[in-house]
Amino acid sequence: MAILGNIIKGIISLTDTLSSEVNHIENQKEILNKLLETAKKTQFGKHYNFEEILNSENIQEAFRKEVPYFDYNSLHKNWWYKIHEGEEDVTWTGSPSYFALSSGTTGKTSKKIPVTDDMISAIRSSGIKQVTALNNFELPADFFEKDIMMLGSSTDLAEKDDHLEGEISGISASNIPFWFKGYYKPGEEIAKIEDWDERVNHIAENAKSWDIGALSGIPAWIELMLQKVIEHHNLENIHEIWPNLKVYTSGGVAFGPYEKSFKALLGKPVTVIDTYLASEGYIATQTRPETDAMQLNTENGIYFEFVPMNPDYINEDGSLKQNAPSVSLENVVLNQDYILIISTVSGAWRYLIGDTIEFTDVEKAEIKITGRTKFFLNTVGSQLSVNKMDDAIQHLEEKFSTQITEYTICAKRFEDGEFYHSWYLGTELKEENSKIVNELDNYLKNANKNYKVARSKALKGVKVNIIPVEKFYDWNDSNKKKGGQVKMERVMKESKFAEWESFVNNNHLK
């Protein structure tokens, strides 16, 4: 009998019951007050009159009017650079203990995003919320005695001056509670290995000694790890070595494009739970099985605002125009793409995180990620968001009975002077190219009226290139972006796309 598992499950059930009645709107008002109150004596707080905002009749409205939008570049240029020069109390009290390195899916140089002790505490609280929500998924008691494989970036953080640097998954894993360390795999020693391939080799070698009940990590890298374990032990599927694997916690990207290839590695179904952990904070987590939408973490160190998605609100460099209107949680609506804006206990203020979301349930504050502001493909008016592209990829998988694990796209002008959407699909699909092109094009016409209009005007057509999925992994590896929080660029600008095509066609196409 799973005695310990029953105890843990009972504690989780009690905790979940005590916290089930959540007023997300009131949570957000309290969070904003706490953020402003804590930071009012900082350089940023004095500059933007936080004391006056706190004394306003409508604090949310006063905050919107007084503080401009920032993205990483503008916040670093005007404020965060001071932290690196040794100044304290810049945008948050004291100095951050960590910096999360994030090159994201755009740009070549790593961003250094402050991660304060308050943010570590907020992430841990949101993690506890995620664990207690497992009570809703009807998992057996013995599940709570199994190991949990967390495949992120290295936990061997780099020391620099008076802080540590690494990816957010590595920072989070290095701060797991003491009581969790017995469940955590691959364990501290393996997790510190910097080289991703070497780390995965060690996981494969040790796989038999672990009883994994849950996996957590970016889908693409989890799949490669599972493939390595299966290959190393000559298995048919991962359940032959981890028979008690019941949960996979995805994160960072939509799981849809990976669903078919992921399931092919399993011997039986697992529960997939989506989470949304960014370098800037733990944004949201799925809390119930009836939906794959995620609930915003409204009570843990982040204040959210939402700008209705409109290409006219976005500058050429991807930043947000200052006249773009924002709304707080009480004024959002369904069926509307929003640009996500956050203010946090790490001193990010009205910060453009770069993602677009839509609400699936306003009362429960549940959302889905719909894309990236920089990946919103609007050349010649096509207005394609990443979720529409993901849906198109899943349609192709079903239509041609195949797996398309990765893809990227660029709207570019070809030799005939016309604009085309040029797609690269990571798949072994052998279908005639013209059939793939027509199926993709027709699906998008039916799914997006703006795309259909663009196709009748300035967008000449679609081009599709089929390549092995390994080329996408090689591309990330060549850019030193393998494993961890790394995600493939879904949309590239022409200059980056030229590098990509040169890489694929001239150097690595076999």
Side-chain angles (χ1 to χ4, degrees), residues 59 65 99 151 223 414 442 456 476 492 494:
I59 292 177
K65 288 181 177 178
F99 279 88
L151 187 64
E223 282 192 22
F414 277 73
N442 289 331
S456 68
N476 282 329
M492 295 187 188
E494 285 199 56

Side-chain angles (χ1 to χ4, degrees), residues 168-204:
I168 190 64
S169 57
I171 293 172
S172 299
S174 68
N175 281 278
I176 59 174
F178 73 92
W179 54 265
F180 183 70
K181 290 185 179 181
Y183 300 94
Y184 167 59
K185 295 295 178 287
E188 294 179 84
E189 186 175 339
I190 296 175
K192 286 183 177 181
I193 298 173
E194 180 66 31
D195 183 83
W196 191 84
D197 291 309
E198 183 184 348
R199 192 169 355 128
V200 169
N201 284 334
H202 278 274
I203 289 172

Side-chain angles (χ1 to χ4, degrees), residues 242-313:
W242 295 332
N244 295 306
L245 175 61
K246 289 184 172 63
V247 171
Y248 167 49
T249 302
S250 180
V253 296
F255 180 66
Y258 302 93
E259 184 174 7
K260 194 167 185 178
S261 55
F262 179 80
K263 286 182 176 179
L265 302 173
L266 307 177
K268 50 190 173 183
V270 301
T271 298
V272 178
I273 301 175
D274 274 332
T275 63
Y276 185 2
L277 174 64
S279 298
E280 294 83 359
Y282 195 164
I283 308 296
T285 190
Q286 182 183 344
T287 61
R288 58 194 183 103
E290 303 95 307
T291 177
D292 58 359
M294 299 172 287
Q295 187 176 87
L296 289 172
N297 292 321
T298 58
E299 68 275 41
N300 292 323
I302 303 176
Y303 176 70
F304 299 100
E305 295 176 79
F306 313 91
V307 175
M309 179 60 195
N310 185 327
D312 292 339
Y313 296 156

Side-chain angles (χ1 to χ4, degrees), residues 7 60 108 150 213 252 283 312 321 329 374 381 389 450 453:
I7 293 172
Q60 291 172 303
K108 292 185 176 179
M150 297 171 61
I283 308 296
D312 292 339
K321 293 182 179 178
L329 186 58
K374 290 184 178 181
M389 301 176 208
N450 292 308
V453 171

Side-chain angles (χ1 to χ4, degrees), residues 53-233:
I53 294 174
L54 284 163
N55 291 323
S56 302
E57 187 173 329
N58 187 327
I59 292 177
Q60 291 172 303
E61 182 62 29
F63 180 62
R64 276 194 288 269
K65 288 181 177 178
E66 186 67 32
V67 182
Y69 295 122
F70 289 93
D71 60 8
Y72 174 80
N73 290 331
S74 58
L75 197 51
H76 183 271
K77 178 182 177 181
N78 291 286
W79 295 98
W80 281 349
Y81 78 91
K82 297 181 178 182
I83 303 174
H84 296 288
E85 294 180 352
E87 295 188 37
E88 295 188 349
D89 300 327
V90 180
T91 61
W92 195 249
T93 55
S95 298
S97 298
Y98 304 89
F99 279 88
L101 303 180
S102 171
S103 56
T105 45
T106 58
K108 292 185 176 179
T109 58
S110 286
K111 302 171 184 176
K112 293 186 177 183
I113 298 166
V115 180
T116 62
D117 291 341
D118 289 327
M119 177 56 76
I120 294 295
S121 178
I123 290 173
R124 185 178 290 133
S125 295
S126 293
I128 291 172
K129 171 185 170 180
Q130 177 191 339
V131 172
T132 58
L134 290 173
N135 183 58
N136 300 328
F137 290 84
E138 298 183 356
L139 296 164
D142 64 355
F143 167 79
F144 297 94
E145 296 181 344
K146 306 304 178 186
D147 297 326
I148 299 175
M149 170 69 70
M150 297 171 61
L151 187 64
S153 56
S154 171
T155 58
D156 189 19
L157 308 177
E159 293 187 31
K160 188 169 184 181
D161 300 327
D162 59 348
H163 64 265
L164 298 172
E165 295 183 352
E167 287 188 17
I168 190 64
S169 57
I171 293 172
S172 299
S174 68
N175 281 278
I176 59 174
F178 73 92
W179 54 265
F180 183 70
K181 290 185 179 181
Y183 300 94
Y184 167 59
K185 295 295 178 287
E188 294 179 84
E189 186 175 339
I190 296 175
K192 286 183 177 181
I193 298 173
E194 180 66 31
D195 183 83
W196 191 84
D197 291 309
E198 183 184 348
R199 192 169 355 128
V200 169
N201 284 334
H202 278 274
I203 289 172
E205 291 168 1
N206 287 273
K208 274 190 175 180
S209 62
W210 302 327
D211 187 5
I212 302 297
L215 299 171
S216 177
I218 298 288
W221 308 116
I222 285 287
E223 282 192 22
L224 286 180
M225 182 272 291
L226 294 179
Q227 289 168 2
K228 183 66 178 178
V229 173
I230 291 170
E231 176 189 344
H232 184 85
H233 295 278

Side-chain angles (χ1 to χ4, degrees), residues 382-401:
S382 54
Q383 293 197 22
L384 278 182
S385 60
V386 169
N387 66 322
K388 286 290 189 290
M389 301 176 208
D390 286 346
D391 290 346
I393 292 298
Q394 287 183 271
H395 173 74
L396 292 181
E397 287 185 321
E398 294 169 7
K399 177 69 178 179
F400 297 114
S401 299

